[in-house]
Coordinates of all heavy atoms in Angstrom, one line a residue:
M1 N 0.8 -1.2 0.0 CA 0.0 0.0 0.0 C 0.9 1.2 0.0 O 2.0 1.2 0.6 CB -0.9 0.0 1.2 CG -1.9 -1.2 1.2 SD -3.5 -0.7 1.8 CE -3.2 -0.5 3.5
P2 N 0.4 2.3 -0.6 CA 1.2 3.5 -0.6 C 1.3 4.1 0.8 O 0.4 4.0 1.6 CB 0.4 4.5 -1.5 CG -1.0 3.9 -1.6 CD -0.8 2.4 -1.3
E3 N 2.5 4.6 1.1 CA 2.8 5.2 2.4 C 2.9 6.7 2.3 O 3.4 7.3 1.3 CB 4.0 4.6 3.0 CG 4.0 3.1 3.2 CD 5.2 2.5 3.8 OE1 6.2 3.3 4.0 OE2 5.2 1.3 4.0
L4 N 2.6 7.4 3.4 CA 2.8 8.8 3.5 C 4.3 9.1 3.8 O 5.0 8.3 4.4 CB 2.0 9.4 4.7 CG 0.5 9.2 4.6 CD1 -0.2 9.7 5.9 CD2 -0.1 10.0 3.4
V5 N 4.7 10.2 3.2 CA 6.1 10.6 3.4 C 6.2 11.9 4.1 O 5.3 12.8 3.8 CB 6.8 10.7 2.0 CG1 8.3 11.1 2.1 CG2 6.7 9.4 1.3
V6 N 7.1 12.1 5.0 CA 7.3 13.4 5.7 C 7.4 14.5 4.7 O 8.2 14.4 3.7 CB 8.5 13.4 6.6 CG1 8.8 14.7 7.2 CG2 8.4 12.3 7.7
G7 N 6.7 15.6 4.8 CA 6.7 16.7 4.0 C 6.0 16.6 2.7 O 6.1 17.4 1.8
Q8 N 5.3 15.5 2.5 CA 4.5 15.2 1.3 C 3.4 16.1 1.1 O 2.6 16.4 2.0 CB 4.1 13.7 1.3 CG 3.2 13.4 0.2 CD 2.7 11.9 0.3 OE1 3.3 11.1 1.0 NE2 1.6 11.6 -0.4
A9 N 3.2 16.7 -0.1 CA 2.0 17.5 -0.4 C 0.9 16.5 -0.8 O 1.2 15.4 -1.4 CB 2.3 18.4 -1.6
G10 N -0.3 16.9 -0.6 CA -1.5 16.0 -1.0 C -1.5 14.7 -0.3 O -1.9 13.7 -0.9
K11 N -1.2 14.7 1.0 CA -1.2 13.4 1.8 C -2.6 12.7 1.7 O -2.7 11.5 1.8 CB -0.8 13.7 3.2 CG 0.6 14.0 3.4 CD 1.0 14.2 4.8 CE 2.4 14.7 4.9 NZ 3.2 14.6 5.9
E12 N -3.6 13.5 1.6 CA -5.0 12.9 1.6 C -5.2 12.0 0.4 O -5.9 11.0 0.5 CB -6.1 14.0 1.6 CG -6.2 14.9 0.4 CD -5.2 16.0 0.3 OE1 -4.4 16.2 1.2 OE2 -5.2 16.8 -0.7
L13 N -4.5 12.3 -0.7 CA -4.6 11.5 -1.9 C -4.0 10.1 -1.7 O -4.6 9.1 -2.0 CB -4.0 12.1 -3.1 CG -4.6 13.5 -3.6 CD1 -3.8 14.1 -4.7 CD2 -6.1 13.3 -3.9
T14 N -2.8 10.1 -1.1 CA -2.1 8.9 -0.7 C -2.9 8.1 0.3 O -3.1 6.8 0.1 CB -0.7 9.1 -0.2 OG1 0.0 9.9 -1.2 CG2 0.0 7.9 0.1
H15 N -3.4 8.7 1.3 CA -4.2 8.1 2.3 C -5.5 7.5 1.7 O -5.8 6.3 2.0 CB -4.5 9.1 3.4 CG -5.4 8.5 4.5 ND1 -4.9 7.6 5.4 CD2 -6.7 8.7 4.8 CE1 -5.9 7.2 6.3 NE2 -7.0 7.9 5.9
N16 N -6.2 8.2 0.9 CA -7.4 7.7 0.3 C -7.1 6.6 -0.6 O -7.9 5.6 -0.7 CB -8.1 8.9 -0.5 CG -8.7 9.9 0.5 OD1 -8.9 9.6 1.7 ND2 -9.0 11.1 0.0
Q17 N -6.0 6.6 -1.3 CA -5.7 5.5 -2.2 C -5.4 4.2 -1.4 O -5.9 3.1 -1.7 CB -4.5 5.8 -3.1 CG -4.2 4.6 -4.1 CD -3.0 4.9 -4.9 OE1 -2.2 5.9 -4.7 NE2 -2.8 4.1 -5.9
A18 N -4.7 4.4 -0.3 CA -4.4 3.2 0.6 C -5.7 2.6 1.2 O -5.9 1.4 1.2 CB -3.5 3.6 1.7
L19 N -6.7 3.5 1.6 CA -8.0 3.0 2.1 C -8.7 2.3 1.0 O -9.4 1.3 1.2 CB -8.8 4.2 2.6 CG -8.3 4.8 3.9 CD1 -9.1 6.0 4.3 CD2 -8.2 3.8 5.0
A20 N -8.7 2.8 -0.3 CA -9.4 2.2 -1.4 C -8.8 0.8 -1.7 O -9.5 -0.2 -1.9 CB -9.3 3.0 -2.6
I21 N -7.5 0.6 -1.6 CA -6.8 -0.7 -1.8 C -7.3 -1.7 -0.7 O -7.6 -2.8 -1.0 CB -5.3 -0.5 -1.8 CG1 -4.9 0.2 -3.1 CG2 -4.6 -1.9 -1.7 CD1 -3.4 0.7 -3.1
L22 N -7.3 -1.2 0.5 CA -7.7 -2.1 1.6 C -9.2 -2.5 1.4 O -9.5 -3.6 1.6 CB -7.5 -1.3 3.0 CG -8.0 -2.1 4.2 CD1 -7.2 -3.4 4.3 CD2 -7.8 -1.2 5.4
D23 N -10.0 -1.5 1.0 CA -11.4 -1.8 0.8 C -11.6 -2.9 -0.3 O -12.4 -3.8 -0.2 CB -12.1 -0.5 0.4 CG -13.6 -0.7 0.2 OD1 -14.2 -1.4 1.1 OD2 -14.2 -0.2 -0.7
Q24 N -10.8 -2.8 -1.4 CA -10.8 -3.8 -2.5 C -10.4 -5.2 -2.0 O -11.0 -6.2 -2.5 CB -9.9 -3.4 -3.6 CG -10.5 -2.2 -4.4 CD -11.8 -2.5 -5.1 OE1 -12.8 -1.9 -4.8 NE2 -11.8 -3.5 -5.9
L25 N -9.4 -5.3 -1.2 CA -8.9 -6.6 -0.9 C -9.5 -7.3 0.3 O -9.4 -8.5 0.4 CB -7.4 -6.5 -0.6 CG -6.6 -6.0 -1.9 CD1 -5.1 -5.8 -1.5 CD2 -6.8 -6.9 -3.1
A26 N -10.2 -6.6 1.1 CA -10.9 -7.2 2.2 C -12.3 -7.7 1.7 O -13.0 -7.0 1.1 CB -11.2 -6.2 3.3
Q27 N -12.5 -9.0 1.8 CA -13.7 -9.7 1.2 C -13.7 -9.4 -0.3 O -14.7 -9.0 -0.8 CB -15.0 -9.2 1.9 CG -15.0 -9.4 3.4 CD -15.0 -10.9 3.7 OE1 -15.7 -11.7 3.1 NE2 -14.3 -11.3 4.8
A28 N -12.7 -9.8 -1.0 CA -12.5 -9.4 -2.4 C -13.5 -10.1 -3.3 O -13.8 -11.3 -3.2 CB -11.1 -9.8 -2.8
V29 N -14.1 -9.3 -4.2 CA -15.0 -9.8 -5.2 C -14.4 -9.5 -6.6 O -14.2 -8.3 -6.9 CB -16.4 -9.2 -5.1 CG1 -17.3 -9.7 -6.2 CG2 -17.0 -9.6 -3.7
V30 N -14.2 -10.5 -7.4 CA -13.6 -10.3 -8.7 C -14.8 -10.5 -9.7 O -15.6 -11.4 -9.5 CB -12.6 -11.4 -9.0 CG1 -12.2 -11.5 -10.4 CG2 -11.3 -11.2 -8.1
L31 N -14.9 -9.6 -10.7 CA -16.0 -9.7 -11.6 C -15.8 -10.8 -12.6 O -16.7 -11.5 -13.0 CB -16.2 -8.4 -12.4 CG -16.5 -7.2 -11.5 CD1 -16.6 -5.9 -12.3 CD2 -17.9 -7.5 -10.8
D32 N -14.5 -11.1 -13.0 CA -14.2 -12.1 -14.0 C -12.7 -12.5 -13.9 O -11.9 -11.6 -13.5 CB -14.4 -11.5 -15.4 CG -14.5 -12.5 -16.5 OD1 -13.7 -13.5 -16.5 OD2 -15.3 -12.4 -17.4
K33 N -12.4 -13.7 -14.2 CA -11.0 -14.1 -14.1 C -10.4 -14.6 -15.5 O -9.3 -15.1 -15.6 CB -10.8 -15.3 -13.1 CG -11.4 -16.6 -13.5 CD -11.0 -17.7 -12.6 CE -11.2 -19.1 -13.2 NZ -10.7 -19.3 -14.5
D34 N -11.2 -14.4 -16.5 CA -10.8 -14.8 -17.9 C -10.5 -13.7 -18.9 O -10.4 -14.0 -20.0 CB -11.9 -15.8 -18.4 CG -12.1 -17.0 -17.5 OD1 -11.2 -17.6 -17.1 OD2 -13.3 -17.2 -17.2
L35 N -10.5 -12.5 -18.4 CA -10.2 -11.4 -19.3 C -8.7 -11.1 -19.5 O -8.0 -11.1 -18.5 CB -10.9 -10.1 -18.9 CG -12.4 -10.0 -18.8 CD1 -12.8 -8.7 -18.3 CD2 -13.0 -10.3 -20.2
A36 N -8.3 -11.0 -20.7 CA -6.8 -10.7 -21.0 C -6.7 -9.2 -21.4 O -5.6 -8.7 -21.4 CB -6.3 -11.6 -22.0
T37 N -7.8 -8.6 -21.7 CA -7.8 -7.2 -22.1 C -8.7 -6.4 -21.1 O -9.8 -6.8 -20.9 CB -8.4 -7.0 -23.5 OG1 -7.6 -7.8 -24.4 CG2 -8.4 -5.6 -24.0
P38 N -8.2 -5.3 -20.6 CA -9.0 -4.5 -19.7 C -10.3 -4.0 -20.3 O -10.2 -3.6 -21.5 CB -8.1 -3.4 -19.2 CG -6.9 -3.4 -20.2 CD -6.9 -4.7 -20.9
P39 N -11.4 -3.9 -19.6 CA -12.6 -3.4 -20.1 C -12.4 -1.9 -20.4 O -11.6 -1.2 -19.8 CB -13.6 -3.6 -19.0 CG -12.9 -4.0 -17.8 CD -11.5 -4.4 -18.2
G40 N -13.1 -1.4 -21.5 CA -12.9 0.0 -21.9 C -13.5 1.0 -21.0 O -12.9 2.1 -20.9
S41 N -14.5 0.7 -20.3 CA -15.1 1.7 -19.4 C -15.4 1.1 -18.0 O -16.5 0.8 -17.6 CB -16.4 2.3 -19.9 OG -16.2 2.9 -21.2
P42 N -14.3 0.8 -17.2 CA -14.6 0.1 -15.9 C -15.2 1.0 -14.9 O -15.0 2.3 -14.9 CB -13.2 -0.2 -15.5 CG -12.3 0.8 -16.1 CD -12.9 1.1 -17.5
V43 N -16.0 0.5 -14.1 CA -16.7 1.2 -13.0 C -15.7 1.3 -11.8 O -14.8 0.4 -11.7 CB -18.0 0.6 -12.5 CG1 -19.0 0.7 -13.7 CG2 -17.9 -0.8 -12.0
D44 N -15.8 2.3 -11.0 CA -15.0 2.4 -9.8 C -15.0 1.2 -9.0 O -16.1 0.7 -8.6 CB -15.4 3.6 -9.0 CG -14.4 4.0 -7.9 OD1 -13.2 3.9 -8.2 OD2 -14.8 4.4 -6.9
G45 N -13.9 0.6 -8.7 CA -13.8 -0.6 -7.8 C -13.9 -1.9 -8.5 O -13.8 -2.9 -7.9
A46 N -14.1 -1.9 -9.9 CA -14.2 -3.1 -10.6 C -12.9 -3.9 -10.5 O -11.8 -3.3 -10.8 CB -14.5 -2.9 -12.1
M47 N -12.9 -5.2 -10.1 CA -11.7 -5.9 -9.9 C -11.8 -7.2 -10.8 O -12.8 -7.8 -10.9 CB -11.5 -6.3 -8.5 CG -10.2 -7.0 -8.2 SD -9.5 -6.9 -6.5 CE -10.9 -7.5 -5.5
Y48 N -10.6 -7.6 -11.3 CA -10.5 -8.8 -12.1 C -9.2 -9.5 -11.8 O -8.2 -8.9 -11.3 CB -10.3 -8.3 -13.6 CG -11.5 -7.5 -14.1 CD1 -11.6 -6.2 -13.9 CD2 -12.6 -8.1 -14.7 CE1 -12.6 -5.4 -14.3 CE2 -13.7 -7.4 -15.1 CZ -13.7 -6.0 -14.9 OH -14.8 -5.3 -15.3
I49 N -9.2 -10.9 -12.1 CA -7.9 -11.6 -12.1 C -7.4 -11.5 -13.5 O -8.2 -11.9 -14.5 CB -8.1 -13.1 -11.7 CG1 -8.6 -13.1 -10.2 CG2 -6.8 -13.8 -11.9 CD1 -8.9 -14.5 -9.7
V50 N -6.3 -11.0 -13.8 CA -5.8 -10.8 -15.1 C -5.4 -12.2 -15.7 O -4.6 -12.9 -15.1 CB -4.5 -9.9 -15.1 CG1 -4.0 -9.7 -16.6 CG2 -4.9 -8.5 -14.5
A51 N -6.0 -12.5 -16.9 CA -5.7 -13.8 -17.5 C -4.4 -13.8 -18.3 O -3.8 -12.7 -18.5 CB -6.9 -14.1 -18.5
A52 N -3.9 -15.0 -18.6 CA -2.7 -15.1 -19.3 C -2.8 -14.5 -20.7 O -3.9 -14.4 -21.2 CB -2.4 -16.6 -19.5
G53 N -1.7 -14.0 -21.2 CA -1.7 -13.3 -22.5 C -2.3 -11.9 -22.4 O -2.7 -11.4 -23.4
A54 N -2.2 -11.2 -21.3 CA -2.8 -9.9 -21.1 C -2.2 -8.9 -22.0 O -1.0 -8.9 -22.4 CB -2.6 -9.5 -19.6
T55 N -3.1 -8.0 -22.4 CA -2.7 -6.9 -23.4 C -3.1 -5.5 -22.8 O -3.7 -5.4 -21.8 CB -3.4 -7.1 -24.7 OG1 -4.8 -7.0 -24.5 CG2 -3.1 -8.5 -25.3
G56 N -2.7 -4.5 -23.5 CA -3.0 -3.2 -23.2 C -2.4 -2.8 -21.8 O -1.3 -3.2 -21.5
A57 N -3.2 -2.1 -21.0 CA -2.8 -1.7 -19.7 C -2.5 -2.9 -18.7 O -1.8 -2.7 -17.7 CB -3.8 -0.8 -19.0
W58 N -2.9 -4.1 -19.1 CA -2.7 -5.3 -18.3 C -1.4 -6.1 -18.7 O -1.1 -7.1 -18.1 CB -3.9 -6.1 -18.3 CG -5.1 -5.6 -17.5 CD1 -5.2 -4.4 -16.9 CD2 -6.3 -6.2 -17.4 NE1 -6.4 -4.3 -16.3 CE2 -7.2 -5.4 -16.6 CE3 -6.9 -7.5 -17.8 CZ2 -8.5 -5.7 -16.3 CZ3 -8.2 -7.8 -17.5 CH2 -8.9 -6.9 -16.7
T59 N -0.7 -5.6 -19.7 CA 0.4 -6.4 -20.2 C 1.4 -6.7 -19.1 O 1.8 -5.8 -18.3 CB 1.1 -5.6 -21.4 OG1 0.2 -5.4 -22.4 CG2 2.4 -6.3 -21.9
G60 N 1.8 -8.0 -19.0 CA 2.8 -8.4 -18.0 C 2.2 -8.5 -16.6 O 2.9 -8.7 -15.6
Q61 N 0.9 -8.5 -16.4 CA 0.2 -8.6 -15.1 C -0.6 -9.8 -14.9 O -1.4 -9.9 -14.0 CB -0.7 -7.3 -14.9 CG 0.0 -6.0 -15.1 CD 1.0 -5.7 -14.1 OE1 1.0 -6.2 -13.0 NE2 2.0 -4.9 -14.4
A62 N -0.4 -10.9 -15.7 CA -1.2 -12.1 -15.6 C -1.1 -12.7 -14.2 O 0.0 -12.7 -13.6 CB -0.6 -13.1 -16.6
G63 N -2.3 -13.2 -13.8 CA -2.4 -13.8 -12.4 C -2.6 -12.8 -11.3 O -2.9 -13.2 -10.2
K64 N -2.3 -11.5 -11.5 CA -2.5 -10.5 -10.5 C -4.0 -10.1 -10.4 O -4.7 -10.3 -11.3 CB -1.6 -9.3 -10.8 CG -0.1 -9.6 -10.7 CD 0.7 -8.4 -10.9 CE 2.2 -8.7 -10.8 NZ 3.0 -7.5 -11.0
L65 N -4.3 -9.4 -9.3 CA -5.6 -8.8 -9.2 C -5.4 -7.4 -9.7 O -4.4 -6.7 -9.4 CB -6.0 -8.7 -7.7 CG -6.2 -10.0 -7.0 CD1 -6.4 -9.8 -5.5 CD2 -7.4 -10.7 -7.6
A66 N -6.4 -7.0 -10.6 CA -6.4 -5.6 -11.2 C -7.7 -5.0 -10.8 O -8.7 -5.5 -11.0 CB -6.2 -5.7 -12.7
F67 N -7.6 -3.8 -10.3 CA -8.8 -3.0 -10.0 C -8.7 -1.6 -10.4 O -7.6 -1.0 -10.3 CB -9.3 -3.2 -8.5 CG -8.3 -2.8 -7.5 CD1 -8.3 -1.5 -7.0 CD2 -7.5 -3.7 -7.0 CE1 -7.5 -1.2 -6.0 CE2 -6.6 -3.4 -6.0 CZ -6.6 -2.1 -5.5
W68 N -9.8 -1.0 -10.8 CA -9.9 0.3 -11.3 C -10.3 1.3 -10.2 O -11.3 1.0 -9.5 CB -10.9 0.4 -12.4 CG -11.0 1.8 -13.0 CD1 -12.0 2.7 -12.7 CD2 -10.1 2.4 -13.9 NE1 -11.8 3.9 -13.4 CE2 -10.6 3.7 -14.1 CE3 -9.0 2.0 -14.6 CZ2 -10.0 4.6 -15.0 CZ3 -8.4 2.9 -15.4 CH2 -8.9 4.2 -15.6
L69 N -9.5 2.3 -10.0 CA -9.8 3.3 -9.0 C -10.0 4.6 -9.8 O -9.1 5.2 -10.4 CB -8.7 3.5 -8.0 CG -8.5 2.4 -7.0 CD1 -7.3 2.7 -6.1 CD2 -9.7 2.1 -6.2
T70 N -11.2 5.1 -9.8 CA -11.6 6.3 -10.5 C -10.8 7.5 -9.9 O -10.4 8.4 -10.7 CB -13.1 6.6 -10.4 OG1 -13.8 5.4 -11.0 CG2 -13.5 7.8 -11.2
S71 N -10.5 7.5 -8.6 CA -9.8 8.6 -8.0 C -8.4 8.8 -8.5 O -7.9 9.9 -8.5 CB -9.8 8.4 -6.5 OG -9.1 7.2 -6.2
V72 N -7.8 7.7 -9.0 CA -6.5 7.9 -9.6 C -6.5 7.6 -11.1 O -5.5 7.7 -11.8 CB -5.4 6.9 -9.0 CG1 -5.2 7.3 -7.5 CG2 -5.8 5.5 -9.1
A73 N -7.7 7.3 -11.7 CA -7.9 7.1 -13.1 C -6.9 6.1 -13.7 O -6.3 6.3 -14.7 CB -7.9 8.4 -13.9
A74 N -6.7 5.0 -12.9 CA -5.8 4.0 -13.4 C -6.0 2.6 -12.8 O -6.8 2.6 -11.8 CB -4.3 4.4 -13.0
W75 N -5.5 1.6 -13.4 CA -5.5 0.3 -12.8 C -4.5 0.2 -11.7 O -3.4 0.6 -11.9 CB -5.3 -0.8 -13.9 CG -6.4 -0.9 -14.9 CD1 -6.4 -0.3 -16.1 CD2 -7.6 -1.5 -14.7 NE1 -7.6 -0.6 -16.7 CE2 -8.4 -1.4 -15.9 CE3 -8.2 -2.3 -13.6 CZ2 -9.7 -1.9 -16.0 CZ3 -9.5 -2.8 -13.8 CH2 -10.2 -2.6 -15.0
T76 N -4.9 -0.5 -10.6 CA -3.9 -0.8 -9.6 C -3.8 -2.3 -9.6 O -4.8 -3.0 -9.7 CB -4.5 -0.3 -8.2 OG1 -4.6 1.1 -8.2 CG2 -3.6 -0.8 -7.1
F77 N -2.5 -2.8 -9.5 CA -2.3 -4.3 -9.6 C -1.7 -4.7 -8.2 O -0.9 -4.0 -7.6 CB -1.3 -4.6 -10.7 CG -1.8 -4.2 -12.0 CD1 -1.4 -3.0 -12.6 CD2 -2.6 -5.0 -12.8 CE1 -1.9 -2.6 -13.9 CE2 -3.1 -4.6 -14.0 CZ -2.7 -3.4 -14.6
V78 N -2.2 -5.9 -7.8 CA -1.7 -6.4 -6.5 C -1.3 -7.9 -6.8 O -2.1 -8.6 -7.4 CB -2.8 -6.4 -5.5 CG1 -2.4 -7.1 -4.2 CG2 -3.3 -5.0 -5.2
T79 N -0.1 -8.3 -6.4 CA 0.3 -9.6 -6.5 C -0.2 -10.4 -5.3 O 0.1 -10.1 -4.2 CB 1.8 -9.7 -6.5 OG1 2.3 -8.9 -7.6 CG2 2.3 -11.1 -6.7
P80 N -1.1 -11.4 -5.6 CA -1.7 -12.1 -4.5 C -0.7 -13.1 -3.9 O 0.2 -13.6 -4.6 CB -2.9 -12.9 -5.2 CG -2.5 -13.0 -6.6 CD -1.6 -11.8 -6.9
S81 N -0.9 -13.4 -2.6 CA -0.1 -14.4 -1.9 C -0.9 -15.7 -1.9 O -2.1 -15.7 -1.9 CB 0.2 -14.0 -0.5 OG 1.0 -12.8 -0.6
D82 N -0.1 -16.8 -1.7 CA -0.8 -18.1 -1.5 C -1.7 -18.0 -0.3 O -1.3 -17.4 0.7 CB 0.2 -19.2 -1.3 CG 0.8 -19.6 -2.6 OD1 0.4 -19.2 -3.7 OD2 1.8 -20.4 -2.6
G83 N -2.9 -18.6 -0.4 CA -3.9 -18.5 0.7 C -5.0 -17.5 0.5 O -6.0 -17.5 1.2
W84 N -4.7 -16.5 -0.4 CA -5.7 -15.5 -0.6 C -6.9 -16.1 -1.3 O -6.7 -17.0 -2.1 CB -5.2 -14.4 -1.5 CG -4.3 -13.4 -0.8 CD1 -3.6 -13.6 0.4 CD2 -4.0 -12.1 -1.2 NE1 -2.8 -12.5 0.7 CE2 -3.1 -11.5 -0.3 CE3 -4.3 -11.3 -2.3 CZ2 -2.5 -10.3 -0.4 CZ3 -3.8 -10.0 -2.4 CH2 -2.9 -9.5 -1.5
Q85 N -8.1 -15.6 -1.0 CA -9.3 -16.1 -1.6 C -10.1 -14.9 -2.2 O -10.1 -13.8 -1.6 CB -10.2 -16.8 -0.5 CG -9.5 -18.1 0.0 CD -10.4 -18.7 1.0 OE1 -11.6 -18.4 1.2 NE2 -9.9 -19.7 1.8
V86 N -10.8 -15.2 -3.3 CA -11.6 -14.2 -3.9 C -12.9 -14.9 -4.4 O -12.9 -16.1 -4.7 CB -11.0 -13.5 -5.1 CG1 -9.7 -12.7 -4.7 CG2 -10.6 -14.5 -6.2
W87 N -14.0 -14.2 -4.4 CA -15.3 -14.6 -5.0 C -15.3 -14.1 -6.4 O -15.1 -12.9 -6.7 CB -16.4 -14.0 -4.2 CG -17.7 -14.5 -4.7 CD1 -18.6 -13.7 -5.5 CD2 -18.4 -15.7 -4.5 NE1 -19.7 -14.5 -5.8 CE2 -19.6 -15.7 -5.2 CE3 -18.0 -16.9 -3.9 CZ2 -20.5 -16.8 -5.3 CZ3 -18.9 -18.0 -3.9 CH2 -20.1 -17.9 -4.6
V88 N -15.4 -15.1 -7.4 CA -15.5 -14.7 -8.8 C -17.0 -14.6 -9.2 O -17.7 -15.7 -9.3 CB -14.7 -15.7 -9.7 CG1 -14.9 -15.3 -11.1 CG2 -13.3 -15.7 -9.3
A89 N -17.5 -13.4 -9.3 CA -18.9 -13.2 -9.5 C -19.6 -13.8 -10.7 O -20.7 -14.3 -10.6 CB -19.2 -11.7 -9.5
D90 N -18.9 -13.8 -11.8 CA -19.5 -14.3 -13.1 C -19.6 -15.8 -13.0 O -20.4 -16.4 -13.8 CB -18.8 -13.8 -14.3 CG -17.4 -14.5 -14.6 OD1 -16.7 -14.7 -13.6 OD2 -17.1 -14.7 -15.7
E91 N -18.9 -16.5 -12.1 CA -19.0 -18.0 -12.0 C -19.7 -18.4 -10.7 O -20.0 -19.5 -10.5 CB -17.6 -18.6 -12.0 CG -16.8 -18.3 -13.3 CD -15.4 -18.9 -13.2 OE1 -15.1 -19.8 -12.4 OE2 -14.6 -18.5 -14.0
S92 N -19.9 -17.4 -9.8 CA -20.4 -17.7 -8.4 C -19.6 -18.8 -7.8 O -20.2 -19.8 -7.2 CB -21.9 -18.1 -8.5 OG -22.7 -17.0 -9.0
V93 N -18.3 -18.7 -7.8 CA -17.4 -19.6 -7.2 C -16.3 -18.9 -6.5 O -15.8 -17.8 -6.9 CB -16.7 -20.5 -8.3 CG1 -15.6 -21.4 -7.8 CG2 -17.8 -21.3 -9.0
R94 N -15.8 -19.5 -5.3 CA -14.7 -19.0 -4.6 C -13.4 -19.6 -5.1 O -13.4 -20.8 -5.3 CB -14.8 -19.2 -3.1 CG -13.7 -18.7 -2.3 CD -14.0 -18.5 -0.8 NE -15.1 -17.7 -0.6 CZ -15.2 -16.3 -0.6 NH1 -14.1 -15.7 -1.0 NH2 -16.3 -15.7 -0.3
Y95 N -12.4 -18.8 -5.4 CA -11.1 -19.3 -5.8 C -10.1 -19.0 -4.7 O -10.2 -18.0 -4.0 CB -10.6 -18.6 -7.1 CG -11.2 -19.2 -8.3 CD1 -12.5 -18.9 -8.7 CD2 -10.5 -20.1 -9.1 CE1 -13.1 -19.4 -9.8 CE2 -11.1 -20.7 -10.3 CZ -12.4 -20.3 -10.6 OH -12.9 -20.9 -11.7
E96 N -9.0 -19.9 -4.6 CA -8.0 -19.7 -3.6 C -6.6 -19.7 -4.4 O -6.5 -20.5 -5.3 CB -8.0 -20.7 -2.5 CG -6.9 -20.5 -1.5 CD -7.0 -21.5 -0.4 OE1 -7.9 -22.3 -0.3 OE2 -6.1 -21.5 0.5
R97 N -5.7 -18.9 -4.0 CA -4.4 -18.9 -4.6 C -3.5 -20.0 -3.9 O -3.3 -20.0 -2.6 CB -3.7 -17.6 -4.4 CG -2.4 -17.4 -5.1 CD -2.6 -17.0 -6.5 NE -1.3 -16.6 -7.1 CZ -1.2 -16.2 -8.3 NH1 -2.2 -16.1 -9.1 NH2 0.0 -15.9 -8.7
V98 N -3.1 -21.0 -4.6 CA -2.3 -22.1 -4.1 C -1.1 -22.3 -5.0 O -1.3 -22.5 -6.2 CB -3.1 -23.4 -4.0 CG1 -2.3 -24.6 -3.5 CG2 -4.4 -23.2 -3.1
A99 N 0.1 -22.3 -4.4 CA 1.3 -22.5 -5.2 C 1.4 -21.6 -6.4 O 1.8 -22.1 -7.5 CB 1.5 -24.0 -5.6
G100 N 0.9 -20.4 -6.3 CA 1.0 -19.4 -7.4 C -0.1 -19.5 -8.4 O 0.0 -18.8 -9.4
V101 N -1.1 -20.3 -8.2 CA -2.2 -20.6 -9.2 C -3.5 -20.4 -8.5 O -3.7 -20.8 -7.3 CB -2.0 -22.0 -9.8 CG1 -3.2 -22.2 -10.8 CG2 -0.7 -22.2 -10.5
W102 N -4.5 -19.8 -9.2 CA -5.9 -19.7 -8.7 C -6.6 -21.0 -8.9 O -6.7 -21.6 -10.0 CB -6.6 -18.6 -9.4 CG -6.1 -17.2 -9.0 CD1 -5.3 -16.4 -9.8 CD2 -6.4 -16.5 -7.8 NE1 -5.1 -15.3 -9.1 CE2 -5.7 -15.3 -7.9 CE3 -7.1 -16.8 -6.7 CZ2 -5.8 -14.4 -6.9 CZ3 -7.1 -15.9 -5.7 CH2 -6.5 -14.7 -5.8
W103 N -7.1 -21.6 -7.8 CA -7.8 -22.9 -7.8 C -9.3 -22.7 -7.3 O -9.5 -21.9 -6.4 CB -7.1 -23.9 -6.9 CG -5.8 -24.4 -7.4 CD1 -4.6 -23.8 -7.1 CD2 -5.5 -25.4 -8.3 NE1 -3.6 -24.5 -7.8 CE2 -4.2 -25.5 -8.5 CE3 -6.4 -26.4 -9.0 CZ2 -3.6 -26.4 -9.4 CZ3 -5.7 -27.3 -9.8 CH2 -4.4 -27.3 -10.0
R104 N -10.2 -23.6 -7.8 CA -11.5 -23.6 -7.3 C -11.6 -24.5 -6.1 O -10.9 -25.4 -5.9 CB -12.5 -24.2 -8.4 CG -12.8 -23.3 -9.4 CD -13.6 -24.0 -10.5 NE -15.0 -24.2 -10.0 CZ -16.0 -24.4 -10.8 NH1 -15.8 -24.4 -12.1 NH2 -17.2 -24.6 -10.4

């Protein structure tokens, strides 16, 4: 998560981004785990597991969690650790990260 730095201007932006990341990852809900191309008009907080062969803004991010934060107008990527669980909404299934792979 982003950290505040002594003498930093705009600390509220960094703090708000850190809170948004925490909000996304606690009780994580992923919309889809099979997309390799980011959606063109994501809604604030939309989260995905980036599929293999990712393109565009997701290039090189396969297997990571990607979520859109309107406040920073960009995708934020998080590398999941083994044991993390997410609910994949389009499948209505919970996945867990085991040995670097998402499993049902």
Side-chain angles (χ1 to χ4, degrees):
M1 295 217 291
E3 297 180 358
L4 298 175
V5 179
V6 174
Q8 172 183 341
K11 289 182 185 198
E12 68 279 0
L13 298 175
T14 302
H15 178 72
N16 289 343
Q17 183 181 12
L19 290 176
I21 291 169
L22 180 58
D23 186 44
Q24 285 298 120
L25 298 179
Q27 301 296 321
V29 175
V30 167
L31 298 177
D32 196 320
K33 68 169 199 51
D34 302 311
L35 294 181
T37 303
S41 299
V43 298
D44 190 36
M47 185 159 54
Y48 302 86
I49 295 174
V50 179
T55 63
W58 289 1
T59 299
Q61 304 295 334
K64 293 183 181 179
L65 297 172
F67 56 92
W68 180 259
L69 292 177
T70 301
S71 62
V72 295
W75 290 100
T76 297
F77 299 97
V78 176
T79 302
S81 297
D82 285 348
W84 284 22
Q85 296 180 11
V86 297
W87 180 258
V88 179
D90 72 325
E91 298 178 20
S92 295
V93 173
R94 180 160 305 282
Y95 280 79
E96 181 176 354
R97 186 83 170 182
V98 178
V101 178
W102 289 104
W103 291 91
R104 282 174 75 158

